[in-house]
Amino acid sequence: MNKISALVFIIILAGSFNVYSQGGIWQVAPENSNNINPVAINPKGVAEGKNIYFRSCVPCHGPKADGKGLIQSANLLAEPVQHQTDGVIFYKINTGRDKMPPFKAMLKADEIWLVINYLRVMVNPSALPPAKDIGLEVNTSDEIKSVTASVYGSDSTKSVVKEIDVHFYVKRDFGLMRIGEQSNFTGADGKVTVILPEKIIGDALGNITILAKIENNFLFNDAETAVVRKWGTPLVTDDEKFNQRALWGSRDKSPIWLLLLANGIILGVWGVIGYVIYNLFRIKKAGKIFIK
């Protein structure tokens, strides 16, 4: 009996040490915590860090980095995290622990540093200059069905602005379909071009609406412009089949048997209710006769 009790005690003790190891303080050696972030904070780098974060970190830490993702995780904007050095945060992302997977096999070192810069700017937007207005124009080429966005300053000189991430979309009935890369940065001439994918369904005439957007930029305010081009595949609907009776049709296009079944069930239910009410009156009437 004593041996069994000792064995149970050892198992419980081992489990306690395991729990403590998972929930204990995450110590980082000085040679790692003192590492300096070699990547400077700039608008392009912050935009790249944001893209990497949304690609790799959002499922757990959430789009706002508050830990409210699919799996409850650490709030990366909270003081306990932000007070840590860049070297500590880099080490934890790189090596992982418990539910936190190691990202050293998935992200390059510079990509992790970019994510750290993005998190720093989210907490302290003053790390970048105040956002300014910006101009955005689009031109199209019918030859290869491409869209070129030109970004320029809002001042009178309209000087070109390089290294601005422009997002391209095709407007759909229930949202926007993204085209191009995750990031499309303007070049030295302030322009960036994307090629339209083939066989995009348009309206009945083949028209599609293409949007170019500058959004969630830390240096410039949001901007948007749109252009309509007849580059899509015309939407063809078979009116004859659409007007046929089918299970997915509206009430006036439902199958006859379904209408009869549904109405029959309704009539049957009301018939039972009426029969019950009729018998209640009969019982009441019979009770009066019996009392007399």
Side-chain angles (χ1 to χ4, degrees), residues 76-106:
L76 300 180
L77 305 184
E79 289 187 8
V81 176
Q82 288 295 318
H83 281 171
Q84 298 174 17
T85 66
D86 287 357
V88 169
I89 299 176
F90 178 90
Y91 177 83
K92 292 181 177 181
I93 296 175
N94 195 47
T95 60
R97 189 185 76 160
D98 300 334
K99 294 181 180 179
M100 172 73 178
F103 280 89
K104 57 186 175 183
M106 294 176 275

Side-chain angles (χ1 to χ4, degrees), residues 37-56:
N37 190 339
V39 180
I41 294 179
N42 57 60
K44 182 179 179 180
V46 172
E48 290 177 341
K50 178 183 178 181
N51 289 334
I52 297 167
Y53 175 86
F54 271 77
R55 186 175 68 242
S56 305

Side-chain angles (χ1 to χ4, degrees), residues 43-277:
K44 182 179 179 180
V46 172
E48 290 177 341
K50 178 183 178 181
N51 289 334
I52 297 167
Y53 175 86
F54 271 77
R55 186 175 68 242
S56 305
C57 310
V58 162
C60 293
H61 294 282
K64 297 181 180 180
D66 53 5
K68 297 180 180 179
L70 299 176
I71 301 174
Q72 194 70 20
S73 306
N75 183 348
L76 300 180
L77 305 184
E79 289 187 8
V81 176
Q82 288 295 318
H83 281 171
Q84 298 174 17
T85 66
D86 287 357
V88 169
I89 299 176
F90 178 90
Y91 177 83
K92 292 181 177 181
I93 296 175
N94 195 47
T95 60
R97 189 185 76 160
D98 300 334
K99 294 181 180 179
M100 172 73 178
F103 280 89
K104 57 186 175 183
M106 294 176 275
L107 297 177
K108 299 177 182 178
D110 284 351
E111 291 178 321
I112 297 177
W113 291 121
L114 286 170
V115 171
I116 295 172
N117 286 345
Y118 168 66
L119 296 174
R120 298 299 193 195
V121 171
M122 285 187 70
V123 175
N124 182 26
S126 62
L128 292 175
K132 300 178 181 179
D133 290 331
I134 201 168
L136 178 65
E137 293 180 355
V138 294
N139 296 296
T140 59
S141 171
D142 292 317
E143 185 177 350
I144 57 174
K145 293 183 180 178
S146 64
V147 183
T148 300
S150 303
V151 183
Y152 54 87
S154 59
D155 54 10
S156 58
T157 61
K158 288 190 174 183
S159 55
V160 298
V161 183
K162 62 181 180 178
E163 294 186 346
I164 298 297
D165 188 10
V166 182
H167 299 161
F168 294 88
Y169 303 93
V170 173
K171 190 174 182 180
R172 315 308 292 164
D173 289 337
F174 300 102
L176 300 176
M177 182 184 76
R178 192 159 187 167
I179 59 176
E181 302 296 332
Q182 185 72 17
S183 294
N184 307 278
F185 291 101
T186 56
D189 58 353
K191 297 181 179 181
V192 58
T193 301
V194 298
I195 307 299
L196 193 77
E198 296 181 357
K199 297 181 179 179
I200 292 182
I201 303 297
D203 59 14
L205 299 176
N207 294 316
I208 59 174
T209 301
I210 305 168
L211 289 88
K213 288 187 175 186
I214 298 172
E215 49 192 350
N216 301 323
N217 189 289
F218 292 91
L219 192 61
F220 297 99
N221 293 317
D222 291 356
E224 175 182 336
T225 187
V227 62
V228 178
R229 289 292 179 268
K230 197 173 182 178
W231 287 351
T233 302
L235 177 65
V236 179
T237 58
D238 193 334
D239 293 335
E240 183 178 349
K241 290 185 178 179
F242 181 78
N243 291 321
Q244 289 179 353
R245 292 187 177 274
L247 288 174
W248 53 85
S250 57
R251 184 171 60 180
D252 59 330
K253 295 184 179 65
S254 299
I256 298 296
W257 65 266
L258 183 60
L259 293 174
L260 293 175
L261 177 62
N263 289 312
I265 292 174
I266 294 173
L267 291 175
V269 171
W270 278 109
V272 171
I273 294 173
Y275 181 73
V276 170
I277 295 174

